[in-house]
Amino acid sequence: MTGGTDGGGAGRRAARVVVADDQTVVREGIVMLLGLLPGIEVVGAAADGLEAVRLVAEKAPDVVLMDLRMPRCDGVEATRRIRAEHPATQVVVLTTYGDDGSLFPALQAGARGYLTKDAGGEEIVRAVEHVMSGQAGLSPKVQLRLLERLSAEGDPRPAAGPVAPGELPDGLTAREAEVLALVAEGMTNAEIARRLHVSTATVKTHINNLFAKTGVRDRAQAVRYAFRYGIARPPGAPIT
């Protein structure tokens, strides 16, 4: 099965992807789209969750683009099995549904990305690249919904409270705090780079540094950290 050419530069191989969707026309359309995208190689297509698990065992892909509502074995259960049995393979959900009842079970099962089917090719490539590099591959709409949910639930641990003016927690530099605030706004690395007039490599360095200092593992945790310490405001929070 063919895929896109490597658009990531010399020495960077294409991401090996399996597509799982029970609707033939949708599945074939996604495979066709991915075949036109740089840096993507489609190595298999599955009509249900059981076939997706089998293909992962056989092909060892980097990423599975996983539909949720499929016969025999749905996307949540397939994601759970893949993450338990093949932890080197990441899962990005690609579904029609963006409701809480679909989103949170998929993330709890181990999906590192979540897109709705109105996502464009560039957004899919970005999500694949993000999950392969250890980041979350969430669409802006899904990220906002996740942040709203986390904000509504609050943090179960005692709140640390905003830091005093002029102080930053855990040894963060002013630039790292600025990058963290932009992450909390839902910006991608490329968008942050444009805002700050720096390279994406510089943004990644700042993010890696602030992750190491704060002990967070992904962007969702980083956002909660930013809210907890007053580096960013939760959606809907009053301006004081």
Side-chain angles (χ1 to χ4, degrees):
M1 191 170 297
T2 59
T5 59
D6 183 357
R12 181 174 176 179
R13 67 174 178 82
R16 303 176 71 255
V17 174
V18 162
V19 175
D21 196 296
D22 65 316
Q23 295 183 291
T24 301
V25 65
V26 174
R27 183 173 65 253
E28 291 179 349
I30 294 171
V31 169
M32 183 178 298
L33 170 64
L34 294 179
L36 301 174
L37 299 178
I40 300 288
E41 177 190 359
V42 179
V43 297
D48 57 52
L50 288 181
E51 191 175 359
V53 175
R54 179 185 64 78
L55 280 173
V56 169
E58 178 183 327
K59 303 289 188 179
D62 299 303
V63 177
V64 178
L65 288 178
M66 182 77 73
D67 190 22
L68 288 182
R69 302 187 184 180
M70 297 183 290
R72 294 205 300 166
C73 175
D74 66 21
V76 170
E77 179 58 26
T79 296
R80 186 176 294 112
R81 294 185 191 182
I82 289 168
R83 296 298 297 140
E85 299 169 15
H86 309 282
T89 296
Q90 302 296 336
V91 176
V92 173
V93 171
L94 184 60
T95 181
T96 305
Y97 308 98
D99 58 285
D100 287 5
S102 301
L103 170 61
F104 291 100
L107 296 179
Q108 290 165 352
R112 296 289 293 176
Y114 198 106
L115 303 173
T116 52
K117 287 181 178 175
D118 57 356
E122 182 179 342
E123 193 171 355
I124 293 173
V125 171
R126 184 164 59 241
V128 168
E129 290 176 344
H130 281 180
V131 299
M132 287 180 63
S133 64
Q135 303 179 53
L138 306 175
S139 72
K141 288 190 297 185
V142 168
Q143 186 168 348
L144 178 59
R145 182 66 200 104
L146 180 59
L147 298 183
E148 289 172 345
R149 171 73 172 265
L150 292 174
S151 177
E153 290 180 347
D155 197 320
R157 294 174 292 177
V163 296
E167 295 181 8
L168 289 170
D170 296 317
L172 290 178
T173 66
R175 181 61 106 180
E176 288 164 355
E178 186 176 14
V179 170
L180 178 56
L182 296 177
V183 168
E185 289 183 20
M187 288 190 177
T188 65
N189 288 2
E191 290 168 340
I192 294 172
R194 287 194 293 271
R195 171 72 67 87
L196 300 181
H197 305 290
V198 297
S199 69
T200 55
T202 298
V203 172
K204 289 179 181 178
T205 297
H206 287 314
I207 290 176
N208 288 338
N209 288 343
L210 71 88
F211 274 30
K213 289 179 179 180
T214 61
V216 302
R217 296 189 302 271
D218 54 37
R219 290 173 98 91
Q221 289 188 354
V223 170
R224 295 188 73 173
Y225 180 96
F227 291 164
R228 187 180 312 123
Y229 286 99
I231 294 171
R233 286 191 302 272
I239 299 175
T240 57

